[in-house]
Structure formats: structure tokens, C-alpha cells
Amino acid sequence: MDSDEEEFTFEKKRPILYGSLEERERQRLTGQRTTGSLSSDAIEAGKAAGNINITQGGTFDLPDNKESQAELLAELEKKKRARQIQVSTDDVEIKANLRQLGEPICLFGEGPADRRERLRNILATIGEDTLKKKKQTEIDEKKKKDDENITWYHEGPASLKEARIWIAEYSIPRAKERIRNQKEHVQLSSAQRNAKVQDLHKRVRAISNECSQIGDVRPLSFCQFSPDSKMLAVSSWSGLCKLWSIPDCQLIRQLRGHNGNVGAIVFHPQATLQLDDKSCCMASCGQDGSVKLWNLVSDEPVADIEGHAPYRVSRLAYHPSGRFLGTCCFDNSWRLWDLEAQEEILHQEGHSKPVYDIAFQNDGALAATG
């Protein structure tokens, strides 16, 4: 072989095709038994790999979400109403509105803006008209109370008119005497007035305990000296009233007649002085609404005054003339009784709470209750 000969290597070159590949691609796909659609081929490949499972005719029920949908709608409506409600920006007014609705006016860590938003949500829940109704109710109640406080009058019986005329004739001369004594006292020199005051203070300082006695096994509710200062009448929660002698504190008599606590016992202004011991010399009242009249010779009541039950009669007092008896009651009223006519001539209201005590002026023209 000649050294001049060269060794050649031939490479096999691929042919270059020109034109459309559609016909060639169709033949390739036909050979692979494909559908001719890329998406269908991808689905078939997924099914073959087990990534896609398609059942034949299988069905399942979706859960019923009507309740949850209703809750969502209600919540949306609530938020919508809350946005439309006009709430004051004044924190004091907001607290007042919360108090009217019975809600706490402040929560831990809550600021004015949070409090305002809480009020808005509450109004959205219960309705904005609720607050207006509460305010209107308070206004109506206040107006009703104001109407009840209006002074009103009613015509009294003829016996009340006669009693008032009699009391006027009794009290006017005594009022004149009282005013005359006051004028004489004013005309006294300051030295004389001071001497009287000093004498009074001296007698007061000289008061000491003269004797002592156990009045009853239950608490004592009231006591009063007789007009001649020789007896002491005591009432007790045991239902008994007792008369004690003065000054040795010896038991004279037990008065039995009350079935419950006795509130007070009082003497007639003329008892032990001009009034006969067999007459009505004392009066007592009880928790059960009973009022009893007593004399000084018997341990049983001589008469009962009815008309207070079931309310408690807390106190009673004789008019200075002794003809009338005043009683105060837990029905927020007091009564005036004519003991000679044996009837109630005045039933006066005006207190807003139970009446605890009654007293008459020395002239007999005025009565005070409280």
C-alpha cells in the first residue's frame, strides 16, 4: 500500500425532511393505538398508572348545610344591623345605656372604643328599639310617681267637722295662755333666765338611779309614768303589760289581752287625777293590729278598737283633752278615734313608709307623725 494513500472515514448522515409532519405523526400514533388527542392520551396514561380512578355510576350525598347557612346569614344580618345603628361617642352616655340594659358598664381591659362596639353589638342582638322602650318606660314611671305625689283632697264626715270645731275651742284658749307665758319669759332679764337654766341643770345633775327591777322575760317596748307619778306602765314583747308602783318598783297588776308583741301603753291625761279608776284609763297597741283600752281595777281589757288588722300598730297617744286617741299604723297612715262617739273620725294617709310614732302638741291643735 502506498504511503501516499489516505485513509478516509464515512459518516452516516440523517436525512433532512422538508414539509409537514402531520401525516408522519398520525402514523406514529396509529401504531401506538392512541386516540389522537393529547388530553385523552394523558388521562389514559394516568388511569394506567393508577393516579386516576373513575367509578362507573357511583354516587354519594353531600352533607346538608342548611343550618350552618342559616347561622351565617343571621350573623351577616347582625353585622349589617350593627353597622346601621347609630351609637353615641360619649363614654358617659354609653355607660348609662349599658346600665339601662342591665349589662356591665366596663369589662377588664376594655377601652371606650371597645365599650362602644360592645353596645353596638348588644343593640344589634336585642334590637335598637329595646333601649328606646326602656327609656320611655323610665319616663312613664317617673311621671306616674309625680302624679301620685300630687296633693289630693276628699270630703270628710260630719263627725270630723264637729271634732275639729271642738278641738279648736279646746286648743285656742290654751294657745293664748302659752303665748302669754312666752311673752312673760321674754320680758325676764337675762340674769333671771340664766338662774332658771342653772336651777334646771342642777336638778338634772342630781338625777340618780333610785331603784331597779326586771320588767319582763322579753324585751320591754315602752313605758310611761301615770299623771300623778305614782305608777309606771310597761309594755313587753311577751304580750303582757304591767303596772309598777313608784318608787319601790313593786308589781301592782299584769294586764293580759294581747296575743303578740305589745308596741306601747299610755295613760289617759286625767287618769289617777280626776278620772274614775273604773273608766278607760289606759290604751295599748299590738303587732297584730289590736288596740285595747284598760281601767285601773281589772287585768282584762274593757274595750277593743278594731280597724287596723292585719297591719301592725306601732304607737298610740291620747289627745291632751283625753277625748281622742291617735294611732299610727304600718299601712303608711294614722287614725284619729273619738272615744266618746266610739268611732274613727279621721284616717289620714301621706306617708310613703310605715308610721312609727305619733305625738300631740300640748295645746291639742297639732299632731305630728313619723
Side-chain angles (χ1 to χ4, degrees):
M1 187 175 195
D2 197 1
S3 59
D4 296 329
E5 295 181 357
E6 294 181 2
E7 189 174 340
F8 296 95
T9 302
F10 296 94
E11 294 182 2
K12 186 178 180 179
K13 297 182 180 180
R14 293 183 178 182
I16 299 175
L17 303 177
Y18 297 93
S20 175
L21 297 176
E22 181 179 358
E23 186 64 27
R24 188 179 181 86
E25 185 69 16
R26 185 179 294 111
Q27 292 175 0
R28 184 183 69 80
L29 293 176
T30 302
Q32 295 180 1
R33 296 180 181 180
T34 60
T35 61
S37 173
L38 292 178
S39 60
S40 299
D41 295 343
I43 293 174
E44 291 297 331
K47 290 166 64 177
N51 297 327
I52 299 176
N53 296 321
I54 299 177
T55 60
Q56 300 296 329
T59 61
F60 63 93
D61 297 331
L62 293 174
D64 188 6
N65 295 327
K66 292 183 178 180
E67 294 182 358
S68 60
Q69 291 177 359
E71 292 177 359
L72 291 175
L73 290 175
E75 185 67 22
L76 291 175
E77 277 299 318
K78 177 181 174 181
K79 292 181 179 180
K80 182 179 179 181
R81 289 196 304 269
R83 288 193 299 269
Q84 294 174 351
I85 293 175
Q86 300 295 329
V87 180
S88 173
T89 56
D90 186 3
D91 193 49
V92 176
E93 185 177 351
I94 291 174
K95 290 181 178 179
N97 292 336
L98 289 171
R99 186 180 289 109
Q100 288 179 351
L101 295 173
E103 298 289 337
I105 64 173
C106 185
L107 299 178
F108 180 76
E110 184 181 55
D114 299 331
R115 190 160 35 250
R116 182 168 181 263
E117 188 63 27
R118 180 161 62 92
L119 176 60
R120 188 193 301 275
N121 294 332
I122 292 172
L123 293 177
T125 303
I126 65 177
E128 189 176 4
D129 294 337
T130 304
L131 183 60
K132 295 180 180 179
K133 290 179 180 178
K134 285 183 175 292
K135 289 183 178 180
Q136 186 63 36
T137 302
E138 291 181 358
I139 294 173
D140 295 340
E141 290 179 354
K142 184 178 179 181
K143 184 178 179 181
K144 184 178 179 181
K145 290 181 179 180
D146 293 340
D147 294 340
E148 291 177 352
N149 292 331
I150 296 176
T151 304
W152 52 274
Y153 302 92
H154 63 88
E155 186 176 356
S159 58
L160 177 59
K161 180 180 178 181
E162 295 174 1
R164 283 176 170 168
I165 293 174
W166 191 93
I167 291 174
E169 293 175 351
Y170 173 87
S171 62
I172 288 175
R174 287 163 176 76
K176 289 181 179 180
E177 181 68 18
R178 174 176 54 83
I179 293 173
R180 185 180 63 81
N181 292 334
Q182 289 176 346
K183 288 181 178 180
E184 291 179 357
H185 180 73
V186 171
Q187 292 176 358
L188 294 175
S189 62
S190 59
Q192 291 176 320
R193 289 197 296 268
N194 292 336
K196 287 187 175 183
V197 172
Q198 291 176 1
D199 181 64
L200 178 61
H201 288 173
K202 182 178 179 180
R203 285 185 290 171
V204 170
R205 287 194 297 267
I207 294 176
S208 62
N209 186 13
E210 188 169 349
C211 64
S212 178
Q213 183 62 273
I214 297 176
D216 200 277
V217 295
R218 297 293 307 279
L220 304 179
S221 57
F222 195 83
C223 64
Q224 188 181 60
F225 285 105
S226 63
D228 64 355
S229 299
K230 293 182 179 180
M231 287 189 296
L232 179 70
V234 178
S235 60
S236 171
W237 283 9
S238 66
L240 296 176
C241 296
K242 298 181 180 181
L243 293 178
W244 300 86
S245 62
I246 301 298
D248 53 356
C249 281
Q250 296 297 318
L251 181 62
I252 299 174
R253 187 175 295 105
Q254 286 189 0
L255 307 179
R256 305 175 184 273
H258 288 282
N259 297 322
N261 298 356
V262 184
I265 183 170
V266 294
F267 279 99
H268 188 285
Q270 298 301 321
T272 68
L273 295 178
Q274 299 177 0
L275 195 64
D276 185 20
D277 290 350
K278 295 182 179 180
S279 302
C280 295
C281 298
M282 295 177 292
S284 63
C285 60
Q287 187 178 11
D288 57 356
S290 61
V291 176
K292 300 183 181 298
L293 302 178
W294 312 81
N295 58 26
L296 295 176
V297 297
S298 174
D299 59 355
E300 298 291 335
V302 296
D304 292 341
I305 297 178
E306 299 178 352
H308 304 89
Y311 298 101
R312 170 186 170 187
V313 181
S314 53
R315 287 290 186 272
L316 74 172
Y318 275 101
H319 186 267
S321 66
R323 176 179 172 178
F324 306 99
L325 180 69
T327 58
C328 52
C329 188
F330 266 37
D331 64 351
N332 308 347
S333 69
W334 73 278
R335 295 168 171 83
L336 185 66
W337 303 84
D338 189 340
L339 299 180
E340 292 185 1
Q342 299 181 357
E343 65 175 346
E344 176 189 292
I345 59 174
L346 178 62
H347 182 186
Q348 192 164 31
E349 300 175 342
H351 289 278
S352 60
K353 297 289 181 66
V355 188
Y356 281 88
D357 206 353
I358 182 173
F360 287 99
Q361 187 192 26
N362 292 333
D363 301 340
L366 300 175
T369 59

